[in-house]
Amino acid sequence: MEPKETPALLQGQAEIWQLIYGSVDSMALKCVVELRIADIIHSHGGPITLRQIASEVDSPSPSIAYLVRIMRLLVRKNIFTEHHHLVESGETLYGLTQTSRWLLRDAELSIVPLVLLRNHPMQLAPLHCLSQSVKKGGTAFKKVHGCEVWDFTSKNPEYNNIFNDAMACMTKSVMAALLAEYNDGFGGTVGSLVDVGGGIGGMMAKIVKAHPCIKGVNFDLPHVVAITPVRQGVSQVGGDMFDAIPNTDAILVGRVLHNWSDEDCMKILKNCRKAIPKNGGNVIIVHVVLEKESKDLFDETRMAFDLLMMAYTTGGKERTELKLLEEAGFGRYKIFKIATIPSIVEAYPE
């Protein structure tokens, strides 16, 4: 007879089960995003029945039997609420929570594009090759798709649009915290500010709007800049940060360094150092700083990001320390924690 499981062992089993089936939660979330269920409920101004939801799903014959099971899971996950008010009809009402409000497509801080990117087949496939990377080295993304992620996006316009939308949505989320808690940090910038790897320019547009005296420059690869919308107060410059960065008074490096190896980061940082004045210039870096002892709301996500960098990039990672700054010629730096996933790092030349 097998020995009785201890409470600790049983707890361990339950945690493993949760990890095994965590992908189901992600796919259920993707499902309701694709069906626009949060938007449907929001358009009614309050909780509605399953039949009302189904009637507005983009399908001539949606399955209520399937929908109720998906909603049941997401009610348990606190994505939606469940109300039993229609006693006479026996129907249940479903409403939004503070969590599902992040799934509204037209909301300023919607994270719908991230849900769609993270669960895209092209994004999921490399994660099946993590063990191969451990055994043989090499980047999982390249093993699956035959090229680096940046080459892949430049050759696949549809995927590139999904990727850029997701990065723009993450930028909005980070910028909300950054402008709320670090806004004064840009107040001392007079003249030009270059956003290195700025994507489609969302971050720089927000900064210039808050500080009109700043001459904003969005700097990224030519194929990214080519699809960037016109933004007031922001000029677009295409180029390669590994070759050179436009001369400027100050530099913003968003979620860029985590995509690259230490060697590549050193090239970027040295080019940043060359592009700013010897006296008075600085670099503002938006960067995840991993801390072993920290237990804030975003710690688990930061650790997940590190594995994603391992899977999708050659040498990319989230870092526990910033010694690279000193080696690149930045003798001083300060770290500011804000209420989001990355922190703000101010770096000053020696």
Side-chain angles (χ1 to χ4, degrees):
M1 184 175 178
E2 292 292 329
K4 185 178 179 180
E5 291 182 345
T6 65
L9 194 58
L10 194 62
Q11 175 68 25
Q13 181 193 141
E15 290 174 1
I16 292 294
W17 281 115
Q18 289 170 9
L19 287 170
I20 290 171
Y21 290 103
S23 59
V24 176
D25 298 340
S26 264
M27 288 303 162
L29 191 64
K30 180 189 178 188
C31 171
V32 298
V33 162
E34 291 177 332
L35 296 175
R36 297 176 178 261
I37 289 177
D39 294 296
I40 291 171
I41 296 172
H42 181 68
S43 70
H44 285 261
I48 58 176
T49 69
L50 207 61
R51 292 184 184 279
Q52 287 175 300
I53 294 172
S55 70
E56 296 187 37
V57 168
D58 184 20
S59 169
S61 55
S63 171
I64 290 183
Y66 286 169
L67 184 57
V68 69
R69 291 158 72 177
I70 291 167
M71 294 299 285
R72 179 171 60 191
L73 170 65
L74 294 178
V75 165
R76 188 175 184 86
K77 295 292 181 180
N78 196 39
I79 305 298
F80 298 105
T81 60
E82 190 178 61
H83 309 268
H84 303 281
H85 289 320
L86 300 184
V87 179
E88 56 284 352
S89 66
E91 290 189 271
T92 300
L93 298 176
Y94 294 92
L96 301 179
T97 65
Q98 292 302 312
T99 304
S100 50
R101 292 186 183 279
W102 290 88
L103 304 180
L104 298 173
R105 288 178 184 253
D106 293 333
E108 176 65 21
L109 298 180
S110 170
I111 57 174
V112 164
L114 275 172
V115 174
L116 297 176
L117 176 69
R118 280 295 327 123
N119 293 289
H120 193 285
M122 297 297 186
Q123 283 270 307
L124 293 175
L127 298 179
H128 292 281
C129 293
L130 290 180
S131 61
Q132 292 303 308
S133 293
V134 171
K135 289 179 180 179
K136 302 177 182 179
T139 307
F141 191 96
K142 192 172 183 179
K143 290 178 187 293
V144 172
H145 298 302
C147 62
E148 299 286 354
V149 63
W150 315 117
D151 295 327
F152 187 84
T153 55
S154 67
K155 296 172 184 176
N156 294 269
E158 183 179 349
Y159 178 80
N160 187 46
N161 288 337
I162 295 171
F163 183 88
N164 285 332
D165 285 346
M167 294 305 100
C169 127
M170 180 172 283
T171 294
K172 284 183 180 179
S173 178
V174 171
M175 282 304 299
L178 190 150
L179 290 176
E181 301 179 47
Y182 183 75
N183 197 26
D184 290 343
F186 295 108
T189 300
V190 178
S192 58
L193 176 67
V194 171
D195 186 357
V196 174
I200 59 174
M203 185 175 286
M204 183 56 70
K206 292 279 189 183
I207 294 170
V208 170
K209 185 176 180 180
H211 301 279
C213 62
I214 293 175
K215 297 177 182 177
V217 178
N218 184 59
F219 179 69
D220 212 311
L221 293 170
H223 78 269
V224 177
V225 172
I227 63 169
T228 299
V230 175
R231 299 182 185 276
Q232 186 175 356
V234 180
S235 58
Q236 307 294 331
V237 177
D240 189 334
M241 60 189 173
F242 292 106
D243 293 335
I245 292 168
N247 290 334
T248 180
D249 297 303
I251 288 176
L252 174 66
V253 181
R255 300 267 297 138
V256 171
L257 297 182
H258 72 151
N259 293 315
W260 305 100
S261 66
D262 288 351
E263 181 181 0
D264 285 333
C265 284
M266 187 63 64
K267 293 177 184 177
I268 297 168
L269 290 170
K270 284 184 176 180
N271 283 339
C272 287
R273 179 66 187 84
K274 293 175 184 176
I276 60 175
K278 292 183 179 180
N279 298 309
N282 72 312
V283 177
I284 301 167
I285 303 169
V286 183
H287 189 76
V288 168
V289 180
L290 298 178
E291 299 178 84
K292 290 183 179 179
E293 303 302 322
S294 178
K295 292 184 179 179
D296 72 24
L297 289 172
F298 300 105
D299 270 344
E300 289 193 14
T301 304
R302 294 184 184 111
M303 298 300 291
F305 275 7
D306 185 49
L307 288 194
L308 293 178
M309 294 305 100
M310 183 180 80
Y312 299 148
T313 67
T314 300
K317 57 186 175 181
E318 307 296 0
R319 292 172 169 85
T320 56
E321 51 190 56
L322 298 167
K323 290 182 179 179
L324 291 173
L325 289 172
E326 297 176 15
E327 295 175 23
F330 295 93
R332 298 182 295 120
Y333 65 85
K334 294 186 283 187
I335 299 175
F336 298 86
K337 296 194 74 171
I338 56 177
T340 187
I341 296 169
S343 296
I344 304 301
V345 182
E346 285 183 357
Y348 304 90
E350 292 178 331

